Amino acid sequence: MEFQFILVEPNYAANIALISLNRPKELNALNLQLMLELKQALAELDGQDEVRCIVITGNEQAFAAGADIKQMESKNPIDLLKIDQFETWDQIRKTKKPIIAAVSGFCLGGGCELAMTCDMIIASETAKFGQPEIKIGIMPGAGGTQRLTRAVGKALAMEMVLTGKFISGEEAQKAGLVNKVVPVEVYLDEAVKLAKEIAQLSPIAVRLAKESVLKAFDSGLQEGLFFERKNFYMCFASEDQKEGMSAFVEKRKPDFKGK
Ligand code: DAK
């Protein structure tokens, strides 16, 4: 897969793939082309059985400093309607395989929204998370007011969204936004390690479990529990369930085939 603004590196031996946002001079600002490429790459990887977990990263300086302000500056609502970027973001959100964001440096605006669209976030000690849209006369538009609030609670989300203040990786972890904060030298290794760990599990169970956790965000408890129950039953239709349980009983390592 060849793209202009992202690099895609599948590691089929480890059943994972790495996507790097690659507009370093612009701090990985998310222009329309980059987002289309990301959508396309994720769709492609989501369809490959050899890939079981995906890592999205930027570079040490920036995960992404937001949507491309220079590209947005002159737009009116009808331009935005026609571009329909939400379609691209929705498709990214619908990726079935787990996605881990490996974040270092600036993770702002649409960049923070992209990281929050991922399933887990590993941050470096130099990461800076923020929704600074308010400072350029707009507000978050790709889920920032909703996902950030669910992750860190009203008090901090309101402060970040209304003032544009950044929080560090450590603060983000304390607030529940990120899974782990590690030194900058190892943040990507940590994310890859986590991806490899998940890639060794049953991809069917992982997919159904991801779906079920996400369901908690847009359903009441009863509906969510019902959804979870159906997915739990579904696991028992897989060979992986038999393999996982036999391996436990036989005291050996399971070999999950994704069947
Ligand atoms: N867009 C375009 N270019 C950017 C950029 C951005 N968001 N952020 C940085 N750059 C560019 C700078 O313009 C500069 O380019 P040159 O001037 O050298 O050509 C280069 O990257 C380096 O940036 P700085 O010189 O500013 O570097 P500093 O270290 O001094 O400052 C900074 C770093 C991250 C604090 C600063 O660059 C900054 O404040 N950047 C903007 C952060 C921001 O406001 N982000 C939110 C953007 S609005 C939607 C989906 C998503 C969104 C909306 C709708 N739909 C689905 C409809 C999202 C909106 C946003 O994210």
Side-chain angles (χ1 to χ4, degrees):
M1 280 178 268
E2 292 281 317
F3 295 102
Q4 188 180 354
F5 296 125
I6 62 172
L7 302 170
V8 182
E9 298 166 77
N11 177 346
Y12 293 123
N15 295 121
I16 65 164
L18 176 66
I19 300 178
S20 306
L21 311 178
N22 191 27
R23 291 186 78 202
K25 281 198 208 116
E26 294 81 8
L27 302 179
N28 290 330
L30 306 169
N31 65 12
L32 296 174
Q33 177 65 23
L34 185 154
M35 291 307 293
L36 282 173
E37 292 179 4
L38 186 58
K39 173 179 92 163
Q40 203 182 322
L42 285 170
E44 177 84 22
L45 296 169
D46 216 21
Q48 294 181 1
D49 283 346
E50 305 90 331
V51 174
R52 295 182 177 185
C53 192
I54 300 162
V55 176
I56 299 181
T57 195
N59 55 47
E60 272 186 32
Q61 205 192 354
F63 178 75
D68 192 323
I69 299 170
K70 291 165 193 165
Q71 204 173 40
M72 276 188 298
E73 189 189 358
S74 61
K75 297 281 186 283
N76 66 40
I78 304 303
D79 296 330
L80 297 177
L81 187 76
K82 283 186 178 163
I83 294 167
D84 194 12
Q85 249 216 96
F86 289 110
E87 205 276 325
T88 305
W89 284 75
D90 282 348
Q91 285 308 318
I92 290 172
R93 183 178 54 80
K94 286 181 189 158
T95 306
K96 298 177 194 76
K97 290 176 184 162
I99 308 178
I100 299 164
V103 173
S104 179
F106 296 111
C107 184
L108 307 176
C112 189
E113 289 169 316
L114 176 61
M116 290 191 291
T117 304
C118 297
D119 302 303
M120 282 178 272
I121 303 177
I122 302 292
S124 83
E125 285 166 348
T126 62
K128 293 175 198 67
F129 294 86
Q131 297 289 161
E133 291 90 337
I134 205 79
K135 291 186 171 171
I136 52 168
I138 59 168
M139 59 172 278
T145 63
Q146 303 304 301
R147 289 201 179 92
L148 188 64
T149 307
R150 281 166 167 80
V152 307
K154 179 185 164 189
L156 183 56
M158 203 60 104
E159 191 180 343
M160 289 172 72
V161 169
L162 297 191
T163 69
K165 91 163 197 171
F166 301 165
I167 59 170
S168 67
E170 200 186 327
E171 287 172 285
Q173 189 195 18
K174 279 197 192 127
L177 181 62
V178 316
N179 294 75
K180 196 169 183 183
V181 186
V182 293
V184 67
E185 298 77 24
V186 295
Y187 76 99
L188 186 54
D189 293 343
E190 278 293 325
V192 167
K193 196 168 111 193
L194 180 58
K196 286 181 177 168
E197 183 184 334
I198 294 168
Q200 286 182 22
L201 306 172
S202 161
I204 295 170
V206 166
R207 172 177 167 176
L208 294 172
K210 167 175 167 164
E211 239 179 56
S212 300
V213 173
L214 289 179
K215 188 73 181 172
F217 285 96
D218 58 14
S219 68
L221 182 60
Q222 282 312 315
E223 190 192 339
L225 288 172
F226 187 68
F227 188 88
E228 179 191 74
R229 196 164 309 164
K230 295 281 178 198
N231 277 358
F232 175 76
Y233 288 148
M234 180 89 86
C235 291
F236 284 75
S238 69
E239 289 176 20
D240 283 350
Q241 173 265 329
K242 304 285 176 284
E243 168 63 10
M245 293 195 178
S246 309
F248 176 80
V249 173
E250 293 160 16
K251 299 188 187 300
R252 62 176 173 81
K253 196 170 170 285
D255 179 15
F256 293 116
K257 299 265 196 290
K259 290 183 182 164

